[in-house]
Amino acid sequence: MKLSQLYSNDINFKPIKFNFGFNIIIGKVIKENYKDTDTHNLGKTSLTKLLDFMLLKEIDKDHTFLKHFSLFEKHEFYLEVLLNDGIYLTIKRKVNNNTKISFYLSNKSEYLVNNEQWDELDLPIRKAKAFLNSKLDFSIFKKGYTYQTFLPYFLKDEDSFDTNFEKLFSNQKHETWKAPLLDLLSINSKFYKTKLKDEAKLDSLKKKYPDKESFSTQLIEKEAQKKLYEKKLYDLQQQIETCDYFNIDENITQESVNEVLQKISRLNTIKYNLSYDIKKLNESLEAESNTIDVEELQDLFDEVNLFFPMELKRTYDDLVNFNKQIFSERQESMKQTLIEKEAKLKQVNKDLVILNDQQKKMVSILKQKNIYEKLLEQQKEVIFLETTIENISNNISTLKNTISIFSEMSKLTNDISTNIGKLRENIFTKASDFNKVLNTITQNIFKTRIGILNIVLNGNHNPDFKLSFMEAATLKMTSEGDGGTYGEWLCACFSLSLAIIYSKDNFYHFLFQDGIMETGDNRRKVNFIEEIKRICNEHNIQYITTAIEHEVNSPEVKQLLLPEDVVLELTDDPSGNGTLYGFSF
C-alpha cells in the first residue's frame, strides 16, 4: 500500500500528489524578519494527524478538527491510496459526521470531490475499518491484528521517535503492543502470550490458595472425621435391623393392659372360691355316715326349735336308717353342685390362660412401642449422620480438587518456564535476522556506527525493546542512540528495516516520518537521503518526510533534493494562506 494523493473540497487546502518513491514537504520562510510567524506552525505535523484521520483513527474533543470545529465543519477530505494489487482506493471522510466513511475503487487515479457514485457510502466507522482492512489484505496479519495495529511504525510525527517504543504506545498495556511487535519481527508471540496467560492464571490461583500445607492438613482431618461418622452410622443401622417395627398395634395402651389385668384378678378370685368350694364338697362327700345319738338329735332339734315329743321317738335303728336316707339325698345334691363348680372352674382356667397370654402380648407390644419411639430418634440420628458424612465428603472432594490445583499450579510454573526458554531462544534466532538489515542501513548512514535492536527479557521475563548504537570497529555499545537526533534517525532506520523486510508482502510500502532531517549534521543528512533513495529504488518503498527549508538548504543536501522530490511547499505567509489548510488557527 502506498499513498497516491490527498485533497479536500476546500479550495484553501493544499492538495498533495505523492511520488511513489522519495517525497519531501518543505516549509519555507518568505519573510525572515517577520516576528509573528513560525515556520514550525505551517501544517507539516498536522499532515501526520490528517493522514491518521483519513486512515480512520477515531477522534475526540481534543482533536484539532473538533477543537476548531467552526473552521473545519464543512471540510471533506479525500485520501487516495494505491493497493498492492494496483487498484486505487479513495477514502472520503467529513469533519462533520466524521463517523460515516465512503469508499471508491478505480483502476486509475481520480479526483472525486464532486463524485456522486461511491462503492460504499457513509459506512459506520467500525464497518468502514473492516472494509478497509479487507481491501488492504495485509498478508502478515495474525488473528486479532488489523492494519491499524502496525500503522504507528510507518506513520510517525515528531513526538513518536522513541528508541524503547514507550512513547509510541504510552496509552496501551505492554502486552497489547509487545506481542504484535514480536510477530512483526518474526518472533513467535505465542510463547509470550501463553506465558502471560499462564502467569495471570497462576497469580489468581496463588491468591485463592496461598498455602498447600493447610489444605493437606484439613484433608487428613476431614477423612478421619468421615471414618468416625461412618462407624457410628454402621452401628446404628445394625441396631435398627435387629428389631421388628412393622407389626406394632398402635391401639394398645397401658390402660388396655390394666383392664386385662383387672379381669385376670377377678377370675383368680372366682377360681380361688370355686377351688375352695370344690375342696369342701369333696371332703363332705368323702365323710362316712355315723350313728346318731338320740340325745344329740334331741339337742339338735332343740336348737332348731323343733318340737320333738317323746311319743315320736323311734328306735335307734329307725333313726340311723332315717339318717342314711337324708345323707344319701344330700350327697346327690353335693355331687351335682361339685360337677357344676368343676365345670365353671375349668372355664375360668381357660379364660385365665387366654387373658394371661393376651396380657403378655400387650406388655411386649408396649415395650416395642417404647422401642419404636426410640427408632424415630435413631432415624433422625441416621439422617443427621448421613447428611454430615455427605457434607464431609463434599469438603474432602473440594479439598482434593484444591490440592490438585496445586499440581496445576506446579504445571503452570513449569509451562511458564518452558515458554520463557522458548521465547528467549526464538528472540536470539530471529532478532539477528532483523538486525542484519538494520546494521546495513545504519552503517551506510553513520559509517562508524551500527544500529542494533536489543530484545532482552526483563525481571518479569517480558520482552523489552531497545534501539542502540555500537561502534562498528569494536562492537562496543554507545549512548548516542539514547536521545536527540541520533535516536530519531535510529528509529527511522528501524521503520525502514521493517519496510525492506516486508517489501514483497501485502503490507505498508510507505513511510511518513515527520521532521526527521530538521536537525543534525549535514553529512549525516546527505548519507540519510542517499540511503533512503537507495531503499526506495531497490525495494519499491515510498518515503515521505518534512523539513524546514533552511535545515536542508546546504549545497551538499540541496543537490540531492530534486524538484520532483518536493511534493508540497508551505510558507509562513502572515495571512496563513501558505499553510496546509490555507488559514491559521
Side-chain angles (χ1 to χ4, degrees):
M1 169 201 167
K2 293 183 178 180
L3 306 184
S4 176
Q5 60 176 330
L6 176 67
Y7 53 95
S8 171
N9 66 330
D10 188 276
I11 60 174
N12 294 311
F13 180 80
K14 306 299 182 296
I16 307 172
K17 186 75 173 178
F18 295 102
N19 300 317
F20 288 144
F22 181 81
N23 299 258
I24 188 168
I25 297 166
I26 300 293
K28 299 181 68 173
V29 177
I30 59 175
K31 292 187 176 181
E32 295 282 353
N33 298 323
Y34 199 87
K35 297 181 180 180
D36 291 335
T37 61
D38 185 353
T39 55
H40 290 276
N41 193 29
L42 303 179
K44 298 184 292 83
T45 301
S46 295
L47 180 56
T48 314
K49 293 181 179 179
L50 177 57
L51 289 172
D52 211 4
F53 175 78
M54 294 308 297
L55 290 171
L56 308 188
K57 179 179 181 178
E58 297 181 44
I59 62 174
D60 57 23
K61 59 183 178 61
D62 293 324
H63 192 275
T64 299
F65 291 157
L66 299 186
K67 285 174 68 174
H68 304 282
F69 185 69
S70 60
L71 296 176
F72 292 99
E73 181 179 4
K74 296 181 181 180
H75 278 65
E76 297 175 0
F77 294 99
Y78 301 79
L79 175 64
E80 183 182 75
V81 300
L82 177 63
L83 302 178
N84 293 324
D85 60 2
I87 299 297
Y88 289 88
L89 171 66
T90 298
I91 306 164
K92 173 186 175 183
R93 191 176 185 184
K94 302 175 183 178
V95 173
N96 186 22
N97 200 15
N98 61 77
T99 59
K100 300 294 183 181
I101 317 297
S102 299
F103 295 94
Y104 183 84
L105 293 162
S106 175
N107 291 322
K108 60 181 180 179
S109 178
E110 297 187 49
Y111 182 81
L112 300 172
V113 167
N114 297 316
N115 185 52
E116 295 182 357
Q117 299 296 323
W118 292 85
D119 293 290
E120 298 290 341
L121 180 64
D122 291 340
L123 285 181
I125 192 161
R126 289 179 183 251
K127 287 187 177 181
K129 288 180 181 180
F131 177 81
L132 181 55
N133 203 55
S134 67
K135 292 303 175 184
L136 293 175
D137 191 25
F138 287 168
S139 59
I140 70 160
F141 281 169
K142 308 291 182 181
K143 185 177 180 181
Y145 297 160
T146 70
Y147 72 93
Q148 289 186 316
T149 304
F150 304 108
L151 184 58
Y153 299 108
F154 297 87
L155 180 63
K156 302 177 77 68
D157 62 21
E158 290 179 321
D159 297 324
S160 62
F161 293 98
D162 181 21
T163 54
N164 61 12
F165 305 94
E166 295 292 337
K167 285 183 181 180
L168 207 55
F169 304 101
S170 58
N171 61 341
Q172 296 183 30
K173 293 181 179 179
H174 281 185
E175 56 265 29
T176 61
W177 65 267
K178 286 186 176 183
L181 180 53
L182 287 171
D183 285 322
L184 192 60
L185 295 168
S186 299
I187 299 168
N188 195 339
S189 69
K190 177 183 70 174
F191 306 126
Y192 173 55
K193 289 187 284 191
T194 303
K195 181 192 82 77
L196 291 177
K197 182 180 177 181
D198 289 346
E199 284 177 338
K201 188 174 183 180
L202 182 61
D203 289 343
S204 176
L205 290 174
K206 282 182 176 179
K207 289 177 182 178
K208 290 182 180 179
Y209 311 105
D211 184 8
K212 179 180 179 180
E213 294 303 320
S214 65
F215 289 103
S216 299
T217 302
Q218 290 180 51
L219 179 60
I220 294 171
E221 292 174 351
K222 291 296 180 183
E223 287 178 335
Q225 287 179 4
K226 182 181 178 182
K227 290 180 179 179
L228 178 63
Y229 281 110
E230 285 176 338
K231 179 66 169 57
K232 287 183 178 180
L233 178 61
Y234 175 79
D235 292 343
L236 187 58
Q237 288 174 334
Q238 290 297 108
Q239 292 177 25
I240 293 172
E241 289 175 2
T242 58
C243 297
D244 181 9
Y245 299 99
F246 300 102
N247 297 313
I248 297 175
D249 189 346
E250 291 294 326
N251 296 318
I252 294 175
T253 64
Q254 188 61 49
E255 288 75 12
S256 61
V257 174
N258 290 338
E259 288 179 5
V260 173
L261 289 174
Q262 288 175 4
K263 289 179 181 180
I264 292 172
S265 179
R266 286 196 297 272
L267 285 176
N268 280 329
T269 300
I270 293 171
K271 177 181 178 181
Y272 174 79
N273 291 333
L274 286 171
S275 297
Y276 180 80
D277 289 346
I278 290 170
K279 179 182 179 184
K280 290 299 181 184
L281 284 170
N282 283 327
E283 287 176 354
S284 296
L285 289 171
E286 290 175 0
E288 295 184 0
S289 175
N290 298 316
T291 56
I292 298 177
D293 187 354
V294 174
E295 290 182 359
E296 288 180 357
L297 287 174
Q298 180 65 54
D299 293 338
L300 178 61
F301 291 157
D302 288 342
E303 286 178 8
V304 295
N305 292 324
L306 294 175
F307 180 68
F308 192 21
M310 292 298 294
E311 58 268 29
L312 293 178
K313 288 181 182 178
R314 302 282 183 97
T315 63
Y316 177 75
D317 291 334
D318 290 337
L319 183 58
V320 169
N321 291 332
F322 177 73
N323 185 40
K324 286 182 179 179
Q325 182 180 355
I326 292 173
F327 181 77
S328 177
E329 292 175 356
R330 181 181 172 207
Q331 194 175 42
E332 289 296 326
S333 176
M334 287 174 62
K335 285 181 179 180
Q336 183 64 38
T337 301
L338 180 60
I339 291 170
E340 291 175 358
K341 286 188 179 289
E342 286 178 341
K344 190 177 287 186
L345 178 60
K346 185 177 181 181
Q347 184 61 47
V348 167
N349 283 333
K350 287 182 179 179
D351 291 343
L352 279 172
V353 170
I354 294 170
L355 287 174
N356 279 324
D357 186 58
Q358 184 180 358
Q359 183 263 344
K360 288 179 182 178
K361 289 182 179 180
M362 293 176 74
V363 170
S364 175
I365 289 171
L366 275 181
K367 289 180 179 179
Q368 289 183 4
K369 286 187 70 177
N370 291 336
I371 295 174
Y372 181 73
E373 292 174 358
K374 183 179 180 181
L375 171 67
L376 296 178
E377 294 300 320
Q378 288 175 329
Q379 287 177 332
K380 290 180 182 178
E381 180 70 10
V382 167
I383 293 172
F384 168 76
L385 289 172
E386 288 177 340
T387 302
T388 302
I389 290 170
E390 182 179 1
N391 290 337
I392 293 174
S393 296
N394 290 336
N395 288 337
I396 288 173
S397 178
T398 300
L399 286 168
K400 285 183 177 179
N401 289 337
T402 300
I403 290 172
S404 70
I405 287 173
F406 285 100
S407 298
E408 181 184 355
M409 291 167 66
S410 178
K411 183 179 182 303
L412 284 171
T413 301
N414 291 334
D415 289 346
I416 290 168
S417 178
T418 299
N419 280 311
I420 290 171
K422 289 181 178 179
L423 178 60
R424 183 179 286 111
E425 180 182 354
N426 207 231
I427 288 172
F428 179 78
T429 303
K430 297 296 183 179
S432 60
D433 294 338
F434 176 84
N435 277 322
K436 288 177 183 177
V437 180
L438 181 61
N439 294 163
T440 300
I441 295 172
T442 51
Q443 191 166 18
N444 287 342
I445 296 171
F446 299 98
K447 306 305 179 183
T448 60
R449 299 287 184 267
I450 296 175
I452 185 171
L453 173 64
N454 289 304
I455 308 173
V456 296
L457 300 186
N458 58 29
N460 294 321
H461 303 290
N462 296 324
D464 282 342
F465 304 86
K466 175 67 176 176
L467 289 167
S468 303
F469 276 114
M470 293 190 304
E471 292 180 359
T474 63
L475 299 182
K476 290 183 178 180
M477 302 298 294
T478 75
S479 59
E480 291 171 318
D482 291 346
T485 301
Y486 272 43
E488 291 177 1
W489 280 347
L490 189 53
C491 290
C493 292
F494 172 84
S495 295
L496 284 165
S497 300
L498 289 176
I500 291 172
I501 290 171
Y502 291 103
S503 62
K504 290 181 171 53
D505 295 289
N506 280 0
F507 199 49
Y508 291 114
H509 293 162
F510 84 92
L511 295 101
F512 184 100
Q513 297 181 337
D514 181 33
I516 194 66
M517 291 187 291
E518 291 184 353
T519 58
D521 185 87
N522 284 329
R523 291 169 298 174
R524 296 283 181 262
K525 292 177 185 178
V526 169
N527 294 340
F528 189 77
I529 294 171
E530 288 178 341
E531 180 64 11
I532 289 174
K533 286 195 171 188
R534 179 191 71 81
I535 291 170
C536 290
N537 291 330
E538 291 183 8
H539 299 284
N540 193 24
I541 301 297
Q542 180 185 48
Y543 186 87
I544 306 165
T545 188
T546 66
I548 302 299
E549 184 181 38
H550 65 80
E551 294 288 353
V552 290
N553 212 25
S554 65
E556 60 267 39
V557 173
K558 197 171 183 179
Q559 69 176 354
L560 292 173
L561 299 179
L562 305 176
E564 58 267 28
D565 294 336
V566 181
V567 293
L568 179 65
E569 289 186 350
L570 303 173
T571 67
D572 61 348
D573 186 335
S575 68
N577 289 336
T579 63
L580 178 65
Y581 295 105
F583 54 84
S584 299
F585 53 90

